[in-house]
Amino acid sequence: MEILHTAAALQAYTENCRRAGLRLALVPTMGALHEGHLQLVRAAAQACDVVIVSIFVNPTQFNNPDDFRLYPRLPEADANMLAPAGCTVLFLPSVEEMYPKPSVMKFDFGALERVMEGTHRPGHFNGVATVVGKLFHLSRPHQAYFGQKDWQQVAIVQQMVADLAFDLELVSFPTVREADGLAMSSRNRRLPAEARTVAPRLYAALQLAAEQLRQGASAAAAQQAASAYIASEPAFTLEYFEIADAQTLQPVSGWHPGQPVVVCLAAHLGGVRLIDNIVLQP
Ligand code: PAF
């Protein structure tokens, strides 16, 4: 596995690969890797000849300086996990390398970002789109891999790929969970032990809402039941609990078979902000 630190080195590498007729995959990450990331890398290695994994804790997508400062950074442990999973190139740029000058361009994803993470983390998707767009340009992948735990992020990146005609296929994979249901996340490492024991309640709340919707409850009723369940554990502060059309991300009144619906939440627990979602397919 090669480790590259500069944009120029990555561009040169991927240009050579393209010239040699190789298929390239990109797995963008912020590191502190877990099984969810590794599944993406393994899938990419099955589908493509070259797998580029980027690890970059992107400052422009953090609206909370403490969250940026405390985000786990484990580049050595990450590198050790990547080669066995099939990573060919690890791209580890510095902030100065990715942002030689502060970027001023602004993205507006319309209704897609006026909900959930977009509302609660102002500027977040602008930062995500900026860095993902740069990574797409530097690596020119045939495929790019994302996890569905960030459901809204996948929708936003899909929109950017369509709007800016990036010539690549976006591949997304379902959330990987711990045995007790907690969605795997780099931020889980920061959960204090006591908080970790109650954290799976978030997934249980999503399942509760999903079950109610399947049984014909309105979105408002399902949302209320799930929010009350979360509130019964005082360690949680619920930021949002939304039931939305899985594609447009706009709120729905209930689940109608034939319309995929996503149930999403964000909550604070033990000083850590967690998100999760569940999708009801037709
Ligand atoms: O999902 C993430 O880890 C980040 O938002 C991403 C896509 C790597 C962009 O910084």
Side-chain angles (χ1 to χ4, degrees), residues 27-31 37 54 56-58 61 71 124 127-128 131-132 135 146 150 153 157:
V27 186
T29 82
M30 297 205 299
H37 295 114
S54 61
F56 179 61
V57 184
N58 174 33
Q61 71 186 74
Y71 199 88
H124 171 64
V128 169
V131 80
V132 170
L135 290 168
F146 291 83
D150 296 290
Q153 171 171 278
V157 174

PDB file of all heavy atoms in Angstrom, residues 27-31 37 54 56-58 61 71 124 127-128 131-132 135 146 150 153 157, ligand 1:
ATOM      1  N   VAL A  27     -12.604   5.719  -1.567  1.00  0.00           N
ATOM      2  CA  VAL A  27     -13.380   5.620  -0.324  1.00  0.00           C
ATOM      3  C   VAL A  27     -12.962   6.810   0.548  1.00  0.00           C
ATOM      4  O   VAL A  27     -11.922   6.760   1.212  1.00  0.00           O
ATOM      5  CB  VAL A  27     -13.109   4.283   0.421  1.00  0.00           C
ATOM      6  CG1 VAL A  27     -14.049   4.154   1.621  1.00  0.00           C
ATOM      7  CG2 VAL A  27     -13.251   3.079  -0.516  1.00  0.00           C
ATOM      8  N   PRO A  28     -13.757   7.895   0.521  1.00  0.00           N
ATOM      9  CA  PRO A  28     -13.374   9.061   1.336  1.00  0.00           C
ATOM     10  C   PRO A  28     -13.740   8.824   2.800  1.00  0.00           C
ATOM     11  O   PRO A  28     -14.865   8.400   3.091  1.00  0.00           O
ATOM     12  CB  PRO A  28     -14.221  10.205   0.763  1.00  0.00           C
ATOM     13  CG  PRO A  28     -15.049   9.629  -0.325  1.00  0.00           C
ATOM     14  CD  PRO A  28     -14.977   8.148  -0.251  1.00  0.00           C
ATOM     15  N   THR A  29     -12.817   9.098   3.717  1.00  0.00           N
ATOM     16  CA  THR A  29     -13.103   8.926   5.146  1.00  0.00           C
ATOM     17  C   THR A  29     -12.440  10.050   5.944  1.00  0.00           C
ATOM     18  O   THR A  29     -11.604  10.782   5.424  1.00  0.00           O
ATOM     19  CB  THR A  29     -12.551   7.577   5.704  1.00  0.00           C
ATOM     20  OG1 THR A  29     -11.157   7.738   6.007  1.00  0.00           O
ATOM     21  CG2 THR A  29     -12.730   6.423   4.742  1.00  0.00           C
ATOM     22  N   MET A  30     -12.820  10.096   7.213  1.00  0.00           N
ATOM     23  CA  MET A  30     -12.121  11.006   8.132  1.00  0.00           C
ATOM     24  C   MET A  30     -11.320  10.182   9.141  1.00  0.00           C
ATOM     25  O   MET A  30     -10.924  10.685  10.193  1.00  0.00           O
ATOM     26  CB  MET A  30     -13.123  11.931   8.831  1.00  0.00           C
ATOM     27  CG  MET A  30     -13.849  12.840   7.826  1.00  0.00           C
ATOM     28  SD  MET A  30     -14.479  14.371   8.523  1.00  0.00           S
ATOM     29  CE  MET A  30     -15.616  13.746   9.735  1.00  0.00           C
ATOM     30  N   GLY A  31     -11.102   8.914   8.840  1.00  0.00           N
ATOM     31  CA  GLY A  31     -10.248   8.080   9.685  1.00  0.00           C
ATOM     32  C   GLY A  31     -10.940   7.559  10.922  1.00  0.00           C
ATOM     33  O   GLY A  31     -12.172   7.572  11.007  1.00  0.00           O
ATOM     34  N   HIS A  37     -16.233   1.176   7.595  1.00  0.00           N
ATOM     35  CA  HIS A  37     -15.306   1.652   6.559  1.00  0.00           C
ATOM     36  C   HIS A  37     -14.677   0.464   5.829  1.00  0.00           C
ATOM     37  O   HIS A  37     -14.540   0.471   4.607  1.00  0.00           O
ATOM     38  CB  HIS A  37     -14.161   2.464   7.179  1.00  0.00           C
ATOM     39  CG  HIS A  37     -14.576   3.735   7.835  1.00  0.00           C
ATOM     40  ND1 HIS A  37     -14.468   3.941   9.185  1.00  0.00           N
ATOM     41  CD2 HIS A  37     -15.076   4.890   7.321  1.00  0.00           C
ATOM     42  CE1 HIS A  37     -14.874   5.160   9.488  1.00  0.00           C
ATOM     43  NE2 HIS A  37     -15.257   5.759   8.379  1.00  0.00           N
ATOM     44  N   SER A  54      -9.036   7.920   1.314  1.00  0.00           N
ATOM     45  CA  SER A  54      -8.527   9.196   1.837  1.00  0.00           C
ATOM     46  C   SER A  54      -8.890   9.291   3.307  1.00  0.00           C
ATOM     47  O   SER A  54      -9.985   8.883   3.715  1.00  0.00           O
ATOM     48  CB  SER A  54      -9.110  10.384   1.062  1.00  0.00           C
ATOM     49  OG  SER A  54     -10.506  10.396   1.181  1.00  0.00           O
ATOM     50  N   PHE A  56      -8.944  12.314   5.959  1.00  0.00           N
ATOM     51  CA  PHE A  56      -8.761  13.756   6.125  1.00  0.00           C
ATOM     52  C   PHE A  56      -9.892  14.274   7.005  1.00  0.00           C
ATOM     53  O   PHE A  56     -11.065  14.184   6.623  1.00  0.00           O
ATOM     54  CB  PHE A  56      -8.784  14.453   4.750  1.00  0.00           C
ATOM     55  CG  PHE A  56      -8.628  15.944   4.836  1.00  0.00           C
ATOM     56  CD1 PHE A  56      -7.486  16.510   5.381  1.00  0.00           C
ATOM     57  CD2 PHE A  56      -9.636  16.791   4.374  1.00  0.00           C
ATOM     58  CE1 PHE A  56      -7.338  17.890   5.481  1.00  0.00           C
ATOM     59  CE2 PHE A  56      -9.499  18.174   4.455  1.00  0.00           C
ATOM     60  CZ  PHE A  56      -8.342  18.716   5.011  1.00  0.00           C
ATOM     61  N   VAL A  57      -9.525  14.748   8.192  1.00  0.00           N
ATOM     62  CA  VAL A  57     -10.536  15.341   9.079  1.00  0.00           C
ATOM     63  C   VAL A  57     -10.746  16.764   8.560  1.00  0.00           C
ATOM     64  O   VAL A  57      -9.913  17.649   8.779  1.00  0.00           O
ATOM     65  CB  VAL A  57     -10.090  15.297  10.558  1.00  0.00           C
ATOM     66  CG1 VAL A  57     -11.202  15.821  11.459  1.00  0.00           C
ATOM     67  CG2 VAL A  57      -9.723  13.867  10.967  1.00  0.00           C
ATOM     68  N   ASN A  58     -11.824  16.919   7.838  1.00  0.00           N
ATOM     69  CA  ASN A  58     -12.049  18.121   7.030  1.00  0.00           C
ATOM     70  C   ASN A  58     -12.589  19.283   7.869  1.00  0.00           C
ATOM     71  O   ASN A  58     -13.765  19.270   8.249  1.00  0.00           O
ATOM     72  CB  ASN A  58     -13.052  17.755   5.924  1.00  0.00           C
ATOM     73  CG  ASN A  58     -13.477  18.959   5.118  1.00  0.00           C
ATOM     74  OD1 ASN A  58     -12.690  19.885   4.919  1.00  0.00           O
ATOM     75  ND2 ASN A  58     -14.729  18.944   4.660  1.00  0.00           N
ATOM     76  N   GLN A  61     -16.174  21.165   7.336  1.00  0.00           N
ATOM     77  CA  GLN A  61     -17.503  20.586   7.516  1.00  0.00           C
ATOM     78  C   GLN A  61     -17.929  20.522   8.988  1.00  0.00           C
ATOM     79  O   GLN A  61     -18.987  20.011   9.308  1.00  0.00           O
ATOM     80  CB  GLN A  61     -17.599  19.202   6.875  1.00  0.00           C
ATOM     81  CG  GLN A  61     -16.825  18.098   7.568  1.00  0.00           C
ATOM     82  CD  GLN A  61     -16.868  16.802   6.769  1.00  0.00           C
ATOM     83  OE1 GLN A  61     -16.212  16.655   5.745  1.00  0.00           O
ATOM     84  NE2 GLN A  61     -17.676  15.857   7.222  1.00  0.00           N
ATOM     85  N   TYR A  71     -12.244  15.160  17.396  1.00  0.00           N
ATOM     86  CA  TYR A  71     -12.499  14.051  16.468  1.00  0.00           C
ATOM     87  C   TYR A  71     -11.307  13.085  16.532  1.00  0.00           C
ATOM     88  O   TYR A  71     -10.149  13.512  16.452  1.00  0.00           O
ATOM     89  CB  TYR A  71     -12.682  14.571  15.031  1.00  0.00           C
ATOM     90  CG  TYR A  71     -13.388  13.557  14.166  1.00  0.00           C
ATOM     91  CD1 TYR A  71     -14.774  13.529  14.089  1.00  0.00           C
ATOM     92  CD2 TYR A  71     -12.670  12.592  13.475  1.00  0.00           C
ATOM     93  CE1 TYR A  71     -15.425  12.578  13.336  1.00  0.00           C
ATOM     94  CE2 TYR A  71     -13.319  11.631  12.721  1.00  0.00           C
ATOM     95  CZ  TYR A  71     -14.691  11.638  12.655  1.00  0.00           C
ATOM     96  OH  TYR A  71     -15.345  10.676  11.912  1.00  0.00           O
ATOM     97  N   HIS A 124     -22.346  22.633   7.131  1.00  0.00           N
ATOM     98  CA  HIS A 124     -21.771  21.280   7.103  1.00  0.00           C
ATOM     99  C   HIS A 124     -21.692  20.730   5.672  1.00  0.00           C
ATOM    100  O   HIS A 124     -20.634  20.289   5.223  1.00  0.00           O
ATOM    101  CB  HIS A 124     -22.624  20.357   7.983  1.00  0.00           C
ATOM    102  CG  HIS A 124     -22.281  18.906   7.867  1.00  0.00           C
ATOM    103  ND1 HIS A 124     -21.057  18.401   8.252  1.00  0.00           N
ATOM    104  CD2 HIS A 124     -22.988  17.844   7.394  1.00  0.00           C
ATOM    105  CE1 HIS A 124     -21.023  17.096   8.031  1.00  0.00           C
ATOM    106  NE2 HIS A 124     -22.177  16.726   7.504  1.00  0.00           N
ATOM    107  N   GLY A 127     -19.109  22.245   3.382  1.00  0.00           N
ATOM    108  CA  GLY A 127     -17.774  21.685   3.625  1.00  0.00           C
ATOM    109  C   GLY A 127     -17.628  20.283   3.055  1.00  0.00           C
ATOM    110  O   GLY A 127     -16.591  19.942   2.469  1.00  0.00           O
ATOM    111  N   VAL A 128     -18.666  19.473   3.208  1.00  0.00           N
ATOM    112  CA  VAL A 128     -18.615  18.100   2.670  1.00  0.00           C
ATOM    113  C   VAL A 128     -18.488  18.156   1.146  1.00  0.00           C
ATOM    114  O   VAL A 128     -17.627  17.489   0.550  1.00  0.00           O
ATOM    115  CB  VAL A 128     -19.882  17.297   3.071  1.00  0.00           C
ATOM    116  CG1 VAL A 128     -19.957  15.987   2.289  1.00  0.00           C
ATOM    117  CG2 VAL A 128     -19.902  17.013   4.572  1.00  0.00           C
ATOM    118  N   VAL A 131     -14.972  19.333  -0.038  1.00  0.00           N
ATOM    119  CA  VAL A 131     -13.867  18.380   0.082  1.00  0.00           C
ATOM    120  C   VAL A 131     -14.094  17.154  -0.803  1.00  0.00           C
ATOM    121  O   VAL A 131     -13.155  16.635  -1.422  1.00  0.00           O
ATOM    122  CB  VAL A 131     -13.600  18.011   1.566  1.00  0.00           C
ATOM    123  CG1 VAL A 131     -14.572  16.967   2.080  1.00  0.00           C
ATOM    124  CG2 VAL A 131     -12.174  17.539   1.744  1.00  0.00           C
ATOM    125  N   VAL A 132     -15.335  16.690  -0.890  1.00  0.00           N
ATOM    126  CA  VAL A 132     -15.594  15.505  -1.721  1.00  0.00           C
ATOM    127  C   VAL A 132     -15.375  15.860  -3.198  1.00  0.00           C
ATOM    128  O   VAL A 132     -14.777  15.083  -3.953  1.00  0.00           O
ATOM    129  CB  VAL A 132     -17.023  14.952  -1.457  1.00  0.00           C
ATOM    130  CG1 VAL A 132     -17.392  13.875  -2.471  1.00  0.00           C
ATOM    131  CG2 VAL A 132     -17.117  14.374  -0.040  1.00  0.00           C
ATOM    132  N   LEU A 135     -11.689  15.818  -3.765  1.00  0.00           N
ATOM    133  CA  LEU A 135     -11.171  14.439  -3.788  1.00  0.00           C
ATOM    134  C   LEU A 135     -11.549  13.746  -5.101  1.00  0.00           C
ATOM    135  O   LEU A 135     -10.762  12.979  -5.657  1.00  0.00           O
ATOM    136  CB  LEU A 135     -11.705  13.650  -2.586  1.00  0.00           C
ATOM    137  CG  LEU A 135     -11.140  14.077  -1.229  1.00  0.00           C
ATOM    138  CD1 LEU A 135     -11.934  13.464  -0.084  1.00  0.00           C
ATOM    139  CD2 LEU A 135      -9.657  13.698  -1.116  1.00  0.00           C
ATOM    140  N   PHE A 146     -19.637   5.242  -0.156  1.00  0.00           N
ATOM    141  CA  PHE A 146     -20.101   5.980   1.025  1.00  0.00           C
ATOM    142  C   PHE A 146     -20.987   5.067   1.868  1.00  0.00           C
ATOM    143  O   PHE A 146     -21.661   4.182   1.336  1.00  0.00           O
ATOM    144  CB  PHE A 146     -20.925   7.213   0.608  1.00  0.00           C
ATOM    145  CG  PHE A 146     -20.103   8.283  -0.046  1.00  0.00           C
ATOM    146  CD1 PHE A 146     -19.803   8.222  -1.400  1.00  0.00           C
ATOM    147  CD2 PHE A 146     -19.606   9.346   0.690  1.00  0.00           C
ATOM    148  CE1 PHE A 146     -19.027   9.191  -2.014  1.00  0.00           C
ATOM    149  CE2 PHE A 146     -18.820  10.331   0.093  1.00  0.00           C
ATOM    150  CZ  PHE A 146     -18.536  10.256  -1.259  1.00  0.00           C
ATOM    151  N   ASP A 150     -24.746   8.051   6.989  1.00  0.00           N
ATOM    152  CA  ASP A 150     -24.903   9.467   6.635  1.00  0.00           C
ATOM    153  C   ASP A 150     -25.842   9.541   5.423  1.00  0.00           C
ATOM    154  O   ASP A 150     -25.419   9.858   4.310  1.00  0.00           O
ATOM    155  CB  ASP A 150     -23.535  10.070   6.313  1.00  0.00           C
ATOM    156  CG  ASP A 150     -22.628  10.055   7.517  1.00  0.00           C
ATOM    157  OD1 ASP A 150     -22.883  10.821   8.458  1.00  0.00           O
ATOM    158  OD2 ASP A 150     -21.669   9.255   7.543  1.00  0.00           O
ATOM    159  N   GLN A 153     -26.019  12.801   3.596  1.00  0.00           N
ATOM    160  CA  GLN A 153     -24.754  13.064   2.885  1.00  0.00           C
ATOM    161  C   GLN A 153     -24.739  12.331   1.538  1.00  0.00           C
ATOM    162  O   GLN A 153     -24.313  12.886   0.521  1.00  0.00           O
ATOM    163  CB  GLN A 153     -23.576  12.608   3.747  1.00  0.00           C
ATOM    164  CG  GLN A 153     -22.232  12.633   3.034  1.00  0.00           C
ATOM    165  CD  GLN A 153     -21.078  12.389   3.979  1.00  0.00           C
ATOM    166  OE1 GLN A 153     -20.629  13.307   4.654  1.00  0.00           O
ATOM    167  NE2 GLN A 153     -20.568  11.166   4.044  1.00  0.00           N
ATOM    168  N   VAL A 157     -24.324  14.181  -2.010  1.00  0.00           N
ATOM    169  CA  VAL A 157     -23.215  13.878  -2.928  1.00  0.00           C
ATOM    170  C   VAL A 157     -23.781  13.385  -4.272  1.00  0.00           C
ATOM    171  O   VAL A 157     -23.283  13.749  -5.337  1.00  0.00           O
ATOM    172  CB  VAL A 157     -22.222  12.860  -2.303  1.00  0.00           C
ATOM    173  CG1 VAL A 157     -21.159  12.450  -3.304  1.00  0.00           C
ATOM    174  CG2 VAL A 157     -21.568  13.446  -1.056  1.00  0.00           C
TER     175      VAL A 157
HETATM  176  O1  PAF B   1     -18.484  10.795   5.935  1.00  0.00           O
HETATM  177  C1  PAF B   1     -17.354  11.284   6.151  1.00  0.00           C
HETATM  178  O2  PAF B   1     -16.506  10.678   6.806  1.00  0.00           O
HETATM  179  C2  PAF B   1     -17.026  12.668   5.606  1.00  0.00           C
HETATM  180  O3  PAF B   1     -18.140  13.492   5.620  1.00  0.00           O
HETATM  181  C3  PAF B   1     -16.391  12.622   4.206  1.00  0.00           C
HETATM  182  C4  PAF B   1     -17.330  12.049   3.174  1.00  0.00           C
HETATM  183  C5  PAF B   1     -15.106  11.798   4.246  1.00  0.00           C
HETATM  184  C6  PAF B   1     -16.017  14.045   3.758  1.00  0.00           C
HETATM  185  O4  PAF B   1     -15.121  14.636   4.637  1.00  0.00           O
END
